[in-house]
Amino acid sequence: EIARAAAALLRKVKGPVGPLAGRKVLITAGPTHEPIDPVRYIANRSSGKQGYAIAAAAAAAGAEVTLVSGPVSLADPDGVTVVRVESAREMLTAVEAALPADVAIMAAAVADWRMAEDAAQKIKKDGSGKPPTLQFAENPDILATLGHHAALRPRLLVGFAAETQNVLDNAASKLTRKNADWIVANDVSPATGIMGGDRNTVHLVSRDGVEDWPDLAKGEVATRLVERIAFALGARDA
Amino acid sequence: EIARAAAALLRKVKGPVGPLAGRKVLITAGPTHEPIDPVRYIANRSSGKQGYAIAAAAAAAGAEVTLVSGPVSLADPDGVTVVRVESAREMLTAVEAALPADVAIMAAAVADWRMAEDAAQKIKKDGSGKPPTLQFAENPDILATLGHHAALRPRLLVGFAAETQNVLDNAASKLTRKNADWIVANDVSPATGIMGGDRNTVHLVSRDGVEDWPDLAKGEVATRLVERIAFALGARDA
């Protein structure tokens, strides 16, 4: 109790303490929703739990954290600036507005596609029995945009790859194509219970190879990742 | 306090009391989610609040209530049997399993369309820059299925029509096509704040005409509707 009060006092006097003190960390979390018409949208099963846990762990490690979050039913983590968005395009705008950052961790499950045009009015059955044809357009790739950013690429850029097959191949290819430093890859097949659940089994993919982490609580994955980030930044500073 | 204890004791001894005592009421609520692949789905903005409020009001009026609910983040109402489903097809199956019912109130925002085939694996960008083509199929029409049910059509069948334009025309046409007794129609344009909100402005459309209700809390809409149902059933019995 006294120790905690002393630590809080110290933070007030000296600013944040901890292995990420003085670092700006940008995190995305949750799904995006892509509107079809005023009442319908395309979504995905991301709960945001892993990204929120990383934001909380980074803040606890002393970082100045901005969390850009899609629609989730989670409370804002303590000491984190939360920007809430709905679509992939809104998320990209919020991410770019939050630059520069020392570290960016793109944990959101961003929709690859949106409607080419979302309808101003609710789409009705036309009586023909034929469903409407929806035209899709590719969404901006937020991870690749940061990875190839000429002036403001974060020093350490971490992407996520949620796959249901060829997990490691897809992650390695994503690392290269998007110019990320690390990809946190996991298998989100429904049988794993990872999407929406409280545990996660991830692989940390970098240019040095693949590290398999054991099955962990999402909070433990977050703590480990933040420790690794602090270590990597320290090594780059040295 | 004494009065409430006495009423609870009375219910235990004599069974449910209230204007809907002895009636079986079937209610649907919430959105449906239609899977695209293991991680993506099509959803709509229904929160389920109006349907849940009707279920609670019907149970409070003494009815035996089954609530078939799409994915929502609401607690089960007291004294109601809740069956949770995801897609329109699952909802239809659960509704048919709950028949016979004296009254059915179809408040769910059921998706008109689903994927013709939902993919077993996550759909990936194929590198062509071209989005995938999704083939849709029409979902079963739950309200029309009940309205035209040869043996088990509920004595009083109430549908909902959530529209963003031509609200009353669409509701009147729905009443006829689906052989419902009443349609509760409302304008769910985003500016109204009705979808997801706590208030509702509805029109009760029947073969006798249209009744405009004032702006009310969703709980008040529920209570009024249940009173009207009890009155209509009593009139039909007489």
Side-chain angles (χ1 to χ4, degrees), chain B residues 26 33-34 40-41 44 65-66 77 81 87 94 133 185 191:
Chain B
L26 170 60
H33 288 180
E34 306 297 327
R40 302 182 179 96
Y41 57 92
N44 66 64
V65 180
T66 299
T81 301
S87 69
T133 308

Side-chain angles (χ1 to χ4, degrees), chain A residues 20-66:
Chain A
L20 289 180
R23 309 288 192 182
K24 277 193 67 179
V25 176
L26 170 60
I27 299 166
T28 63
T32 64
H33 288 179
E34 306 297 327
I36 297 173
D37 67 18
V39 297
R40 303 181 178 98
Y41 58 93
I42 296 185
N44 66 64
R45 299 183 194 284
S46 169
S47 64
K49 286 179 186 172
Q50 185 62 77
Y52 274 60
I54 295 167
E64 184 189 328
V65 180
T66 300

